[in-house]
Amino acid sequence: MKFTRNPRYQDLRNEVADEHAFFNRRQALRAAGVATAGIALTTGVACSEPQQGGPTGTSAGSAHPKPGAGIEASPTKWKVSDDTTPEDAVTGYCNFYEFGTQKTDPPRYADAMTVSPWSIAVTGMTDAPGTYTVNDLVDYDALEERIYRHRCVEAWSMVVPWVGVPLAGIIDKLKPTAEAKYVEFETYLNKDEMRGVRYPVIDWPYIEGLRLDEARNELSFMAVGVFGKAMPKQNGAPLRTVVPWKYGFKGCKSIVRISFTDKEPRTAWNKANANEYGFYSNVNPNVDHPRWSQASERIIGGRGFNPRRETDMFNGYEAQVAHLYEGMDLTKNF
Ligand SMILES: Nc1nc2c(c(=O)[nH]1)N[C@H]1C(S)=C(S)[C@@H](COP(=O)(O)O)O[C@H]1N2
Ligand SMILES: [Mo]
């Protein structure tokens, strides 16, 4: 593993601004000005969706553990050689724009989110549509711990000990039809609990998606916890996906809907800026973001002065996933 350090007098203008919504944020601020002039912003998109899950769903007996409660998980072969990121960095430096675009906004404000009871609507091309509780989807007696690399498109990274179950098992349980080619995930949306959704940084609700063969890959994970505890709200309680060979935004937090489709999902960041955020978004040091290099990454919570490491193809998971993209031009399908 090669590590490089920033030069001592680093030019801060060249440091990634930690904002993949850089331009959108300016739009948001402008829109906020408009809002004070009395024009309502459209943030209630999902509220008109009859099959919306989340805390307002119909689940009665959901008994998944509260955020922060201890949960037991078996160790697995999924480990990395680099240090695990300190817990306070994982839970204190977050992207969850529904609570604000600063890294400290989610830890500060996500407490307002109701995460129990919780339900997940399963829709689209499936033989098992309906409303599920977290416990319907996740067997808390079969939790695994997987220590994965976590690489944000903003060129920072962590090493995170997620707790959860393989996504493949959940997909099987939800019986996509033979025609289904993609799975789409949707995040909870509640403008009273999520102060960030007053700003149209993206077109809420947050949507992510995967090709079904990607979702069934052995690495794809539905996480319900981290550091041996039920998922903190700011990290996407009660359940969120983790797709470690892709940029972090491909993981969808606080999931209220899982839908199967034969069309490539229109994902939130792709809709916001297709030129910068492709559907695949595989970690790739050879394909730069239009506004910054992806060749290396800043290690969050790392020891020393702004430690960096070189970014690995598919975030170090080439052996597990390269076959999924055989014959594809990854500079076009970025
Ligand atoms: N609903 C929702 N999911 C989201 C985001 C978000 O803003 N909203 N941010 C994404 C991004 S950019 C990253 S890097 C990861 C961050 O996860 P973490 O805060 O647990 O490290 O969540 C992803 N999932
Ligand atoms: Mo990210």
Side-chain angles (χ1 to χ4, degrees), residues 240-271:
R240 56 89 61 89
T241 47
V242 174
V243 195
W245 72 96
K246 293 178 178 282
Y247 292 118
F249 71 87
K250 293 299 291 181
C252 189
K253 291 181 166 182
S254 305
I255 293 168
V256 295
R257 189 174 56 83
I258 299 176
S259 193
F260 297 98
T261 160
D262 58 357
K263 287 181 200 71
E264 190 177 280
R266 302 231 40 221
T267 58
W269 280 110
N270 186 249
K271 273 199 278 182

Side-chain angles (χ1 to χ4, degrees), residues 43-59 118-123 130-132 186-190 194 204-207 254-258:
T43 54
V45 186
C47 300
S48 58
E49 160 72 71
Q51 287 169 302
Q52 177 78 7
T56 53
T58 52
S59 86
W118 190 270
S119 64
I120 300 106
V122 174
T123 61
T131 305
Y132 293 77
E186 180 179 318
T187 295
Y188 178 53
L189 177 61
N190 181 318
M194 297 169 141
W204 314 105
Y206 195 95
I207 302 277
S254 305
I255 293 168
V256 295
R257 189 174 56 83
I258 299 176

Side-chain angles (χ1 to χ4, degrees), residues 103-261:
K103 297 292 182 280
T104 49
D105 285 338
R108 206 175 276 169
Y109 301 118
D111 202 40
M113 175 169 63
T114 307
V115 296
S116 183
W118 190 270
S119 64
I120 300 106
V122 174
T123 61
M125 301 177 139
T126 163
D127 292 328
T131 305
Y132 293 77
T133 66
V134 180
N135 302 63
D136 290 335
L137 299 187
V138 176
D139 179 358
Y140 279 82
D141 294 325
L143 296 179
E144 301 179 7
E145 179 175 78
R146 296 188 174 200
I147 303 170
Y148 278 161
R149 294 191 178 287
H150 176 34
R151 170 60 157 82
C152 178
V153 73
E154 297 161 347
W156 54 260
S157 69
M158 299 186 184
V159 172
V160 183
W162 302 110
V163 171
V165 295
L167 186 57
I170 294 181
I171 301 284
D172 286 347
K173 202 176 286 188
L174 299 182
K175 300 190 168 69
T177 63
E179 294 76 50
K181 289 195 177 65
Y182 299 89
V183 56
E184 187 176 298
F185 302 95
E186 180 179 318
T187 295
Y188 178 53
L189 177 61
N190 181 318
K191 62 179 173 12
D192 297 325
E193 298 181 359
M194 297 169 141
R195 67 204 313 277
V197 303
R198 325 177 228 189
Y199 311 107
V201 185
I202 58 162
D203 180 12
W204 314 105
Y206 195 95
I207 302 277
E208 255 311 331
L210 297 168
R211 235 170 45 196
L212 267 183
D213 59 341
E214 296 179 315
R216 288 186 162 119
N217 183 273
E218 60 177 332
L219 289 168
S220 297
F221 204 52
M222 183 67 85
V224 295
V226 69
F227 291 96
K229 297 170 195 153
M231 195 67 82
K233 292 184 182 183
Q234 63 267 33
N235 296 100
L239 78 175
R240 56 89 61 89
T241 47
V242 174
V243 195
W245 72 96
K246 293 178 178 282
Y247 292 118
F249 71 87
K250 293 299 291 181
C252 189
K253 291 181 166 182
S254 305
I255 293 168
V256 295
R257 189 174 56 83
I258 299 176
S259 193
F260 297 98
T261 160

